Amino acid sequence: MLKADVLLGLQWGDEGKGKIVDVLTPKYDFIARFQGGPNAGHTLEFNGIKHVLHTIPSGIFHPTALNIVGNGVVIDPVIFKKEVDALTKMGVDVKSKLLISKRAHLILPTHRLLDAASETSKGKNKIGSTLKGIGPTYMDKTGRNGLRIGDIEGNDFKEKYNVLVEKHKHLLAHHKFEYNLAELEPAWFEGIEALKQLQFIDTEHYLNNAMSSGKRILAEGAQGSLLDIDFGSYPFVTSSNTVCSGACSGLGIAPNRIGNVIGIFKAYCTRVGSGPFPTELEDEVGEKIRQIGREFGSTTGRPRRTGWLDIPALKYAIMINGVTELMMMKADILSDFDVIKVCTHYNYKGKKIDYLPYDIDPKFLSPVYEDLKGWGCDLTKFTKKEEMPKELVAYVKYIEAAVKTPMTIVSIGPDRKQTIML
Ligand code: GDP
Ligand code: IMO
Ligand code: MG
């Protein structure tokens, strides 16, 4: 039996997962999302077209691969319908290429309202959520109140919907949050009708049978390891397990059937939303990275916070995920820097440490850097590893040695073709 590979982000999201899934899809029969929802924005570029996906896996543009939305994902029918409509316009036959787990949970309009109410009540301590209703939907899942895709097929769907909405109305009243639900519901029910055009399946049976018959699966993570509900910078995290174990629970694939774990990271760091960020640059260097890297959110358009590469945080993510190979993204963005700084250690409560501790609040922790020489040339036209400047080769080797994991891809531009295989 073949094993399923998992691809996930090792930082705070937006590492470039969408691009790499698109690059790797020809090697796979199935691309499966296992957690998160439309808080994700995964960007692909090819033939001059740029496309952002939120719920639909990044294998959707390839002719043969089937795409799966697993049980661990939360789906907003409104956003989902928009995605399907946009893809259909581009000539993608979504119906024949997308399967959805009956166990995936639905994001209700009131979940989005609750997200907004919760953020408002937190004031300056807000999480910086994408406000897509992710947290409240996972809360209803673990609270055993949620509505699932499989419920859509039942005769009592509307009744179940009403019961849950009643609960939410009480909570919204408690928050003293003003809203107009009647304005939001028609689009939601239209989205439900659009969902009904697709195939709802038992993805756990389907994927395990596929593996038994020699099919190759790539599980596509959303967000990043440092946003994981357990291992991220809590409470400034998302509400799902973004790490490798999430692929097991979010698809029904047993741990001993996981093969390669592909960890994606940027040559520097970004974070969008609130929470601690040890290597953050709040100066002109950070601004330069943001401008050259076009670091603005794919889902919300918010400016992303920027900083240097953080090795202790990378090591932590590699450990938690069992990463077997690394892929480094956006190397081209650092071409303009004579010196590239890398955080190798932290000063933590008066001691120098080389691991990510429990509390990364800047009150206790500050980064210790080493300076590396920049490559100072445009990388975006290169196609082969032999063309890589020696300083970039040295940067790759430095990281591989520091985190004891091999690197297999260096990405040098947003397009499919701007990918160097090592
Ligand atoms: P994801 O959420 O991990 O899929 O990443 P996003 O799509 O949110 O953000 C990554 C951004 O960087 C997108 O705009 C990509 O088109 C772009 N991108 C990906 N890889 C590269 C690269 O190697 N170089 C450059 N310049 N841009 C890249
Ligand atoms: P992709 O898959 C970057 C961040 C939000 C916020 C926190 C909680 O594109 O990498 P949520 O909406 O989940 O309640 O937000 O997590 N966040 C992301 N940041 N990339 C993402 O997804 C993100 N999804 C959520 O900014 O700080
Ligand atoms: Mg993104």
Side-chain angles (χ1 to χ4, degrees), residues 11-12 226 233 236 266 268-282 286 289-290 303-310 313 343 346 356 360-362 365-367 369:
Q11 296 163 324
W12 280 285
L226 304 177
S233 44
F236 302 102
K266 280 180 193 166
Y268 48 96
C269 272
T270 64
R271 173 165 203 168
V272 61
S274 333
F277 179 178
T279 62
E280 182 167 16
L281 294 163
E282 289 173 282
I289 296 178
R290 178 160 41 250
R304 294 176 184 146
R305 300 155 65 192
T306 54
W308 296 117
L309 186 66
D310 184 336
C343 166
Y346 304 124
L356 189 78
I360 61 169
D361 192 298
L365 181 137
S366 62
Y369 291 111

Side-chain angles (χ1 to χ4, degrees), residues 203-404:
T203 34
E204 63 281 23
H205 287 299
Y206 193 89
L207 288 173
N208 279 286
N209 290 338
M211 279 193 288
S212 299
S213 59
K215 301 284 192 216
R216 295 153 307 172
I217 296 169
L218 179 65
E220 173 180 357
Q223 289 78 57
S225 304
L226 304 177
L227 288 171
D228 180 86
I229 183 73
D230 281 281
F231 299 105
S233 44
Y234 193 89
F236 302 102
V237 294
T238 191
S239 298
S240 65
N241 278 118
T242 61
V243 296
C244 187
S245 60
C248 298
S249 56
L251 292 171
I253 294 175
N256 62 352
R257 296 205 168 135
I258 299 292
N260 285 336
V261 181
I262 303 165
I264 311 282
F265 69 102
K266 280 180 193 166
Y268 48 96
C269 272
T270 64
R271 173 165 203 168
V272 61
S274 333
F277 179 178
T279 62
E280 182 167 16
L281 294 163
E282 289 173 282
D283 57 7
E284 65 281 7
V285 179
E287 186 56 32
K288 185 171 164 187
I289 296 178
R290 178 160 41 250
Q291 292 306 332
I292 300 176
R294 295 205 192 92
E295 294 295 354
F296 298 90
S298 315
T299 297
T300 57
R302 292 178 290 176
R304 294 176 184 146
R305 300 155 65 192
T306 54
W308 296 117
L309 186 66
D310 184 336
I311 297 275
L314 196 59
K315 282 199 294 195
Y316 183 77
I318 290 169
M319 171 182 82
I320 299 291
N321 290 302
V323 172
T324 58
E325 60 184 281
L326 291 169
M327 297 184 181
M328 183 170 78
M329 311 302 292
K330 303 191 89 161
D332 53 303
I333 303 307
L334 296 184
S335 290
D336 255 10
F337 292 84
D338 299 334
V339 173
I340 297 172
K341 286 184 184 288
V342 177
C343 166
T344 57
H345 293 77
Y346 304 124
N347 281 321
Y348 179 61
K349 297 182 177 171
K351 274 207 304 232
K352 191 176 172 191
I353 61 168
D354 66 355
Y355 62 90
L356 189 78
Y358 168 74
D359 195 347
I360 61 169
D361 192 298
K363 275 203 301 274
F364 307 117
L365 181 137
S366 62
V368 178
Y369 291 111
E370 191 170 324
D371 288 359
L372 301 181
K373 199 167 178 302
W375 39 91
C377 66
D378 179 20
L379 306 174
T380 55
K381 299 280 182 312
F382 293 162
T383 54
K384 293 190 289 289
K385 68 173 182 184
E386 290 74 22
E387 293 168 306
M388 279 171 33
K390 66 177 189 311
E391 294 84 358
L392 175 59
V393 174
Y395 193 59
V396 169
K397 290 214 179 313
Y398 180 92
I399 295 166
E400 286 182 319
V403 303
K404 299 189 178 68

Side-chain angles (χ1 to χ4, degrees), residues 12-18 39-43 52-54 223 266 272 296-299 304:
W12 280 285
D14 302 329
E15 295 88 351
K17 299 174 292 291
N39 48 348
H42 294 182
T43 314
V52 183
L53 294 161
H54 300 285
Q223 289 78 57
K266 280 180 193 166
V272 61
F296 298 90
S298 315
T299 297
R304 294 176 184 146

Side-chain angles (χ1 to χ4, degrees), residues 155-173:
N155 292 330
D156 55 352
F157 177 63
K158 189 73 207 282
E159 215 174 293
K160 284 183 172 164
Y161 170 85
N162 288 334
V163 170
L164 189 51
V165 167
E166 274 315 303
K167 268 197 189 21
H168 293 164
K169 283 182 178 167
H170 286 297
L171 290 167
L172 288 162

